[in-house]
Amino acid sequence: MLSFRTTGYNGYGVKYSPFYDNKLAVATAANYGLVGNGRLYILSINNDGSISSDTHYDTQDGLFDIAWSETHENQCVAASGDGSIKLFDVQVGQFPVMNWHEHQREVFSVNWNMVDKTNFVSASWDGSIKIWLPNRQQSLLTLSPEVDYTTMASPVAATAKGPAVPLSNKTTTNTTQTCIYQAVFSPHSPSVVVSAHANSHVMIWDLRAPHPLQLDYVAHGGLETLTIDWNKYRSAVIASSGVDKSVKVWDTRMIESVQPSASAPMPSFHNASPAPLNQFMGHEFAVRRISWSPHDGASLLSCSYDMSCRVWQDHMDDKARFLGARRMGPLQCTGVFGNHREFVIGCDWSMWGEPGWCVSTGWDEMVYVWDTPNKQA
Amino acid sequence: MERLTQLASHLTTAKGVSAIKQKNADDVVIVAAYRTALTKGGKGLFKDTASEDLLIGLVKGLLAKTPNFDPKLIEDVAIGNVLNGGAGAFEHRAAMLAAGIPYSAAFLAINRQCSSGLIAVNDIANKILTGQIDVGLAGGVESMSKNYGPKNAPQFSDLLLRDKEAVKCGIPMGITNENVAEKYTIDRATQDAFAAASYNKAERAVSQGLFKDEIIPLQVTIEVDNDSEDDEADDTIKKTVTVDTDEGPRAGVTAASLGKIKAAFKKDGTTHAGNASQISDGAGAVLLMRRSVAIKHGLPIVGKYVATSAVGVPPEIMGVGPAYAIPHVLAQAGISTSDVAVYEINEAFAAQALFCIEHLGLDKSKVNPRGGAIALGHPLGATGARQIATILRELKTGEIGVTSMCIGTGMGAAAVFVKE
């Protein structure tokens, strides 16, 4: 286990470089991200096992997430609490090379498109998702779930006509319900994004479609969905987690589309949460970030307010779900990393290093690089 | 500190204002809340109308105002009542059948004195929350004209009369209020000013037609003196009238005009007919269901039921009830007094209402903005349901309201609602 202390700054997001096996970018914020400055660290893991800071950038507001460019080895974008997104070039000192300010509230996630590689997606507490090109001043596209937020459990998607609900109140003042915590590009398609919403929803968007919203369901029983990720090996599989402490694995093919189709001309909507493929229980508080392994379609990393990171193995055989592998199969949680002394907010798998290595950061100002035990479970 | 609130919501089960304003499928919501006009006991237009007849008219009216609602969905009915024998268990069950509610809906008569109407709502809401039922009707009714009188005076056994504490439950309500006024030194002038304000607010609300929406007009027959010169004629004749206006409020009441009234309970007392609640007839009804059911059937949602509390207080100063019940229910809901936009606190007497407002430090403009029981009347079992009908029309969308009342024998009840 290697470590680095981001003194005075509490970690929010961490990512391995997609170009170098020893480079990390860490998004941090002073005062636990509640108020004050932010700092982006670019770290190098040295051959002697130490971690050193190559450079860092100070920002006016806390940084909540980070994404490396897939086309330029020195560039990364950071999501800021003031609603801005900043593109930094490691070789250009002190200031970002681009600054976009379109979101109205905290930007809480940025994610680079791994297939197309030219664009990235941001998700904000203002309730919108935006697609950006690094060399373009304005966003390319804004996705807003025009969902009837008057009910949390019975969504009526913009493209689907739900039951006639003469709810007297269409304008809810409860802004916390519109927050979007994370949006992630599919690693299998250049134009598909999945997003995690405060109103417990998970939504899948296809940027090519005239009505981009493809799928919309309640994932965590009304509690906030905080994080989401695509499985890198199974294109229809995603995992989500949030305030209900459980990590749920979903097969998106098993969830009814919100789009009317020839076979189902009546637009459909979900009254109840669909059944997940698998579910990992073990975290004691809300889960802040999950990530599927780039090396193994079954491994998933999660980090939580319970100060731990956990590694899970999804051995559900989706061809034989009736066998009840959930109960009888091998151990699901194959590793617990308990070195953090505060909330763990960000985590990522090493892409180019030895499979199984990962990095985590949190409110204890620590970045830990560690090897997941039992990775061949 | 919006950011802190947002992150805190990850760690705590949602509580507080944002939580109670959330709209979840398993919420208990109010689809309709109506009441009859409140008339003067013994001389008003309902003086010859039995409590069951008030209920029939009210429930019929409520169902007519909710045209998409199928009464077959009602699984349980709870009606609060204080003065009828057995709280009206027989006649009010029968009234439900007469009003068009099928026999399949169970019936329950509830009596927790002046809070009965609210406790009926509480009972139905709890049954919905636990999943026992999906849809229920709650309400309260009182014909003080027909049932108020010496026969309702408590009959205590010798054992009770000898018990120092128990006997306090028999103290007349007016005396308990004199006790409150004395203990907390609330002078008569302050009480009269409060009562006059109640009259003025009610008068304004009536003149602006603010009660029109919540009142279901009832057609009743009333016996009036026969003015005919013919000696053969009966002394009284029957007349049909439509009752759609509260009789309690009167114009031009001032603290000075109330100051002339003689104290009613004690020679040197402060409580009198003008600063105490009126004896009235009336009824209120509230249709409750789970939100998912309301949505499924396309019914309008006017409010969300959040919580109810009932607490005990010393019987000899029973009027302080709301001062203890309100903090209790607010703590349950995780909100503070300032989060509430409107309070409907039953004005059993001016002194007790004043004490509760002062004790809680409430903004007076938020309390009973349309007048209270001093001006409108207090048909005991109906009051709890009447307050809900009123407050849901006073609140603006998204605002939180609290209804509360003191309860004879020493209790207070309070409930939290959100207008939608």
Side-chain angles (χ1 to χ4, degrees):
Chain A
M1 183 195 73
L2 319 174
S3 65
F4 179 82
R5 179 143 190 226
T6 55
T7 310
Y9 290 86
N10 309 97
Y12 263 88
V14 61
K15 285 278 163 59
Y16 269 100
S17 161
F19 292 94
Y20 302 104
D21 62 355
N22 67 335
K23 285 241 185 289
L24 298 168
V26 191
T28 66
N31 307 315
Y32 305 99
L34 301 178
V35 62
N37 299 340
R39 182 174 278 185
L40 170 66
Y41 286 92
I42 306 294
L43 306 179
S44 278
I45 305 169
N46 304 315
N47 288 338
D48 62 358
S50 66
I51 299 179
S52 56
S53 169
D54 293 357
T55 179
H56 66 252
Y57 299 90
D58 285 318
T59 55
Q60 286 283 333
D61 207 325
L63 298 180
F64 292 142
D65 200 16
I66 183 79
W68 286 96
S69 166
E70 295 282 335
T71 51
H72 194 306
E73 72 271 25
N74 289 325
Q75 292 187 347
C76 54
V77 284
S80 171
D82 61 7
S84 70
I85 298 166
K86 298 173 196 300
L87 178 73
F88 293 94
D89 191 305
V90 174
Q91 300 193 313
V92 180
Q94 225 186 346
F95 297 109
V97 292
M98 285 287 274
N99 189 42
W100 296 277
H101 203 149
E102 288 187 22
H103 283 298
Q104 304 299 311
R105 286 192 66 193
E106 290 83 348
V107 184
F108 224 59
S109 102
V110 282
N111 175 263
W112 210 282
N113 189 335
M114 281 200 274
V115 181
D116 181 295
K117 295 181 193 292
T118 57
N119 54 7
F120 65 94
V121 59
S122 65
S124 163
W125 284 5
D126 68 5
S128 68
I129 298 166
K130 286 176 187 279
I131 311 291
W132 312 82
L133 286 179
N135 51 2
R136 204 169 177 277
Q137 289 291 344
Q138 288 83 30
S139 60
L140 273 183
L141 185 68
T142 301
L143 303 171
S144 307
E146 285 174 40
V147 167
D148 182 353
Y149 279 105
T150 51
T151 61
M152 279 173 63
S154 182
V156 183
T159 48
K161 195 173 169 299
V165 187
L167 288 173
S168 49
N169 176 15
K170 291 286 180 188
T171 51
T172 166
T173 51
N174 190 359
T175 55
T176 60
Q177 287 300 298
T178 60
C179 290
I180 304 178
Y181 285 108
Q182 200 183 355
V184 184
F185 265 113
S186 165
H188 308 282
S189 158
S191 60
V192 178
V193 170
V194 67
S195 54
H197 297 250
N199 64 348
S200 203
H201 286 235
V202 165
M203 298 184 192
I204 294 184
W205 310 80
D206 190 332
L207 311 185
R208 296 166 298 194
H211 300 293
L213 186 62
Q214 301 295 302
L215 204 62
D216 175 7
Y217 64 96
V218 175
H220 293 276
L223 297 174
E224 295 179 72
T225 306
L226 299 178
T227 176
I228 187 109
D229 196 27
W230 293 93
N231 189 292
K232 276 82 175 178
Y233 291 84
R234 294 173 283 170
S235 62
V237 171
I238 57 176
S240 67
S241 192
V243 175
D244 74 350
K245 308 165 197 172
S246 73
V247 180
K248 289 181 178 175
V249 181
W250 309 91
D251 186 333
T252 56
R253 293 167 300 191
M254 291 165 62
I255 300 162
E256 216 179 328
S257 167
V258 295
Q259 300 283 8
S261 66
S263 60
M266 289 301 287
S268 54
F269 55 90
H270 299 289
N271 267 319
S273 190
L277 212 55
N278 202 351
Q279 187 168 3
F280 304 142
M281 305 289 284
H283 277 299
E284 289 165 34
F285 284 114
V287 178
R288 269 302 286 268
R289 188 50 70 97
I290 55 173
S291 177
W292 284 103
S293 165
H295 301 289
D296 173 6
S299 290
L300 182 128
L301 174 66
S302 62
C303 64
S304 154
Y305 285 106
D306 69 4
M307 307 187 202
S308 75
C309 298
R310 282 166 191 266
V311 185
W312 308 90
Q313 303 299 325
D314 174 31
H315 284 301
M316 272 311 269
D317 182 349
D318 49 15
K319 291 189 199 72
R321 296 200 311 132
F322 53 88
L323 291 179
R326 203 181 301 189
R327 287 188 304 276
M328 296 158 65
L331 200 61
Q332 287 185 316
C333 180
T334 54
V336 181
F337 180 74
N339 283 48
H340 283 285
R341 287 288 166 265
E342 253 299 345
F343 302 156
V344 195
I345 309 289
C347 60
D348 190 30
W349 292 92
S350 167
M351 173 78 176
W352 299 116
E354 185 74 12
W357 279 81
C358 51
V359 62
S360 57
T361 187
W363 281 17
D364 57 358
E365 306 180 353
M366 293 304 293
V367 177
Y368 286 113
V369 174
W370 46 284
D371 193 6
T372 58
N374 212 358
K375 54 193 176 238
Q376 296 304 321
Chain B
M1 294 313 274
E2 259 177 280
R3 242 182 240 174
L4 178 59
T5 324
Q6 187 76 37
L7 295 181
S9 72
H10 298 168
L11 289 166
T12 48
T13 319
K15 244 197 154 187
V17 176
S18 67
I20 68 173
K21 284 188 187 170
Q22 262 178 22
K23 297 177 180 179
N24 295 319
D26 57 353
D27 291 337
V28 177
V29 295
I30 296 167
V31 161
Y34 291 98
R35 66 175 179 102
T36 66
L38 305 187
T39 64
K40 295 193 170 186
K43 52 192 171 183
L45 293 175
F46 285 149
K47 73 181 171 71
D48 301 313
T49 307
S51 63
E52 52 269 34
D53 295 356
L54 289 176
L55 267 186
I56 294 172
L58 174 65
V59 173
K60 271 187 177 166
L62 180 143
L63 294 176
K65 292 252 193 184
T66 323
N68 296 333
F69 175 71
D70 180 359
K72 284 198 193 79
L73 293 172
I74 298 177
E75 289 167 274
D76 204 351
V77 181
I79 297 295
N81 177 272
V82 180
L83 300 174
N84 292 39
F90 283 101
E91 60 272 29
H92 295 163
R93 158 70 171 165
M96 289 303 127
L97 303 183
I101 293 179
Y103 63 81
S104 54
F107 178 85
L108 169 69
I110 284 184
N111 183 357
R112 191 183 264 163
Q113 314 273 22
C114 304
S115 69
S116 302
L118 173 61
I119 298 304
V121 170
N122 182 203
D123 179 77
I124 292 295
N126 283 349
K127 285 170 181 160
I128 296 169
L129 283 173
T130 56
Q132 192 178 340
I133 62 170
D134 288 337
V135 179
L137 180 69
V141 63
E142 206 68 64
S143 171
M144 294 183 80
S145 298
K146 290 219 175 278
N147 301 312
Y148 186 57
K151 69 185 159 81
N152 289 101
Q155 309 282 320
F156 280 5
S157 68
D158 290 345
L159 205 57
L160 285 183
L161 291 172
R162 280 201 303 272
D163 187 291
K164 216 160 81 253
E165 289 304 311
V167 76
K168 289 177 182 168
C169 290
I171 299 174
M173 292 302 120
I175 301 295
T176 70
N177 190 58
E178 293 291 358
N179 292 343
V180 172
E182 215 165 283
K183 184 165 181 196
Y184 301 103
T185 52
I186 304 166
D187 62 24
R188 167 143 181 190
T190 323
Q191 296 181 38
D192 287 350
F194 179 82
S198 181
Y199 273 106
N200 300 340
K201 287 185 283 187
E203 182 200 334
R204 193 168 55 236
V206 170
S207 69
Q208 291 174 354
L210 296 183
F211 294 126
K212 284 236 151 59
D213 186 45
E214 68 196 61
I215 294 178
I216 302 261
L218 296 195
Q219 277 212 332
V220 297
T221 44
I222 179 170
E223 286 181 10
V224 292
D225 289 339
N226 193 349
D227 294 335
S228 164
E229 299 292 319
D230 186 356
D231 290 343
E232 303 278 293
D234 293 333
D235 287 346
T236 57
I237 48 166
K238 290 202 161 127
K239 215 174 94 183
T240 303
V241 289
T242 303
V243 188
D244 60 1
T245 315
D246 294 327
E247 293 175 357
R250 65 180 90 191
V253 175
T254 62
S257 72
L258 293 176
K260 294 175 198 135
I261 307 174
K262 221 171 78 204
F265 296 93
K266 268 171 135 181
K267 219 158 93 197
D268 54 346
T270 56
T271 308
H272 58 79
N275 66 15
S277 55
Q278 300 181 21
I279 291 167
S280 309
D281 300 333
V286 181
L287 180 59
L288 298 129
M289 60 188 72
R290 194 171 296 111
R291 187 188 296 278
S292 53
V293 178
I295 290 171
K296 187 172 154 201
H297 294 283
L299 297 167
I301 294 171
V302 294
K304 173 179 170 182
Y305 166 93
V306 180
T308 305
S309 279
V311 301
V313 297
E316 68 274 19
I317 50 165
M318 68 88 204
V320 304
Y324 299 96
I326 290 174
H328 198 270
V329 79
L330 292 183
Q332 223 178 58
I335 58 175
S336 67
T337 50
S338 57
D339 296 325
V340 178
V342 178
Y343 290 88
E344 276 287 331
I345 300 177
N346 190 41
E347 297 164 353
F349 302 97
Q352 62 77 218
L354 268 168
F355 166 76
C356 296
I357 294 167
E358 299 290 332
H359 181 83
L360 296 169
L362 302 181
D363 177 352
K364 272 192 187 160
S365 65
K366 286 183 172 181
V367 181
N368 303 346
R370 298 184 177 185
I374 290 173
L376 295 171
H378 175 26
L380 313 175
T383 289
R386 193 282 296 170
Q387 288 180 321
I388 297 170
T390 305
I391 203 165
L392 286 175
R393 278 141 183 115
E394 174 69 21
L395 291 168
K396 294 188 196 70
T397 296
E399 284 183 340
I400 299 170
V402 165
T403 69
S404 182
M405 68 286 289
C406 56
I407 305 170
T409 71
M411 286 180 274
V416 180
F417 301 90
V418 179
K419 165 84 174 175
E420 295 195 355

